[in-house]
Amino acid sequence: MPLDLRFLGCNDLPELNALRDQTFASLPDIDAYYPEDPEFVGWQLAERGRTLGLVCAGRLMGCAVIGLPLDGMPTFAADVPDLGLDPLAVAHMCSCMVDPRLRGQGLQRLLVSMRVMLAVGLGRPHLLTRVAVINHVSLTNMLACDFVLRRVIVMHGTRLRYVLHRNLAAPPLRWEAAEAIAIPLTDVERQREALACGLVGVAVAGPGGDRHILFVDVEGDAEQCRAARLSSMLTPPVC
């Protein structure tokens, strides 16, 4: 059945909230997504963002939000202070939800691509998103869409989140699998060590039960102390 993609407005709020409630109720682990403040949905339908809707046979089956922080508002740029990003050059890749009956068809990546195009048109070249460390599907999709993993942060008390960034003003990062360090998806502490050494995560690879995040060096820094720290976490790349 064909799908339509359109911007959602205030009249769509009841159906949008129903889709979100259905998604939250179906999560195998609530830590995969932390519901925002009740006002969040309305803000992204108005001045603080844009919300795309996937519609099938007149029914809302998916949504995706791009947040546009205003002057003086908190932004995800604070998650990566070393990048020195202008807050008004940043867009947030926020909620992305697809009805379970439509999953597995690449729709999340489609919705990422559509929001990338929106960001270009809106003059927001730096895209940032947060992904729960247990949400391996979303992490895989974001890395496949040329985002890079830059930090692991703690939110809402104890919830671990990956911070991913994409710079639309620069070409996508190019890397060689043979030069990557592969760290198991489940080993968050080693991932943090790699990030502290200046590496970034670029892909998820390997068979289902043995998946790894591939980390690469984007700075070309060969300091001895850095090499020593990396040697303790070296795992053969998984392709």
Side-chain angles (χ1 to χ4, degrees), residues 20 27 29 43 50 52 67 81 155 178 180 202 239:
R20 290 168 60 82
L27 291 175
D29 187 329
W43 289 338
R50 305 286 188 274
L52 293 170
M155 297 179 61
V202 292
C239 302

Side-chain angles (χ1 to χ4, degrees), residues 79-114:
D79 295 340
V80 282
D82 53 306
L83 296 183
L85 302 179
D86 177 356
L88 293 183
V90 166
H92 300 165
M93 303 288 277
C94 301
S95 307
C96 185
M97 303 177 183
V98 176
D99 188 287
R101 289 167 290 183
L102 294 180
R103 291 176 188 166
Q105 302 183 46
L107 294 176
Q108 185 180 26
R109 297 189 189 188
L110 169 67
L111 290 169
V112 170
S113 298
M114 297 303 297

Side-chain angles (χ1 to χ4, degrees), residues 1-230:
M1 191 173 294
L3 291 170
D4 292 323
L5 184 66
R6 64 176 177 84
F7 288 108
L8 301 182
C10 293
N11 292 338
D12 299 298
L13 190 56
E15 193 173 11
L16 180 55
N17 279 328
L19 173 66
R20 290 168 60 82
D21 290 343
Q22 175 190 10
T23 300
F24 297 148
S26 68
L27 291 175
D29 187 329
I30 192 60
D31 189 47
Y33 194 97
Y34 189 86
E36 301 91 351
D37 294 334
E39 300 85 2
F40 172 84
V41 179
W43 289 338
Q44 311 311 316
L45 294 172
E47 74 278 5
R48 299 192 190 182
R50 305 286 188 274
T51 301
L52 293 170
L54 278 175
V55 180
C56 182
R59 180 177 177 181
L60 185 64
M61 301 294 285
C63 66
V65 173
I66 182 169
L68 304 171
L70 304 178
D71 192 20
M73 288 176 52
T75 82
F76 294 0
D79 295 340
V80 282
D82 53 306
L83 296 183
L85 302 179
D86 177 356
L88 293 183
V90 166
H92 300 165
M93 303 288 277
C94 301
S95 307
C96 185
M97 303 177 183
V98 176
D99 188 287
R101 289 167 290 183
L102 294 180
R103 291 176 188 166
Q105 302 183 46
L107 294 176
Q108 185 180 26
R109 297 189 189 188
L110 169 67
L111 290 169
V112 170
S113 298
M114 297 303 297
R115 286 178 289 169
V116 167
M117 288 191 285
L118 274 174
V120 172
L122 293 166
R124 301 272 182 148
H126 290 282
L127 303 181
L128 289 164
T129 191
R130 298 164 175 165
V131 175
V133 297
I134 65 170
N135 191 345
H136 299 163
V137 172
S138 289
L139 174 64
T140 300
N141 285 333
M142 298 308 295
L143 293 177
C145 291
D146 293 323
F147 283 73
V148 295
L149 169 58
R150 290 201 173 268
R151 284 196 68 195
V152 178
I153 62 173
V154 180
M155 297 179 61
H156 313 297
T158 60
R159 298 171 188 265
L160 295 177
R161 296 292 184 264
Y162 292 124
V163 178
L164 297 105
H165 170 239
R166 181 173 175 185
N167 180 6
L168 301 178
L173 180 65
R174 298 297 176 223
W175 50 276
E176 297 293 336
E179 299 175 356
I181 290 175
I183 300 177
L185 270 173
T186 55
D187 196 340
V188 179
E189 287 309 309
R190 286 179 66 201
Q191 295 166 25
R192 279 175 153 170
E193 290 177 16
L195 294 168
C197 288
L199 306 189
V200 296
V202 292
V204 174
D210 187 30
R211 308 218 79 193
H212 291 67
I213 302 177
L214 300 185
F215 287 85
V216 299
D217 185 349
V218 293
E219 297 179 3
D221 189 346
E223 293 180 2
Q224 290 185 354
C225 62
R226 191 155 173 242
R229 293 180 67 186
L230 293 179

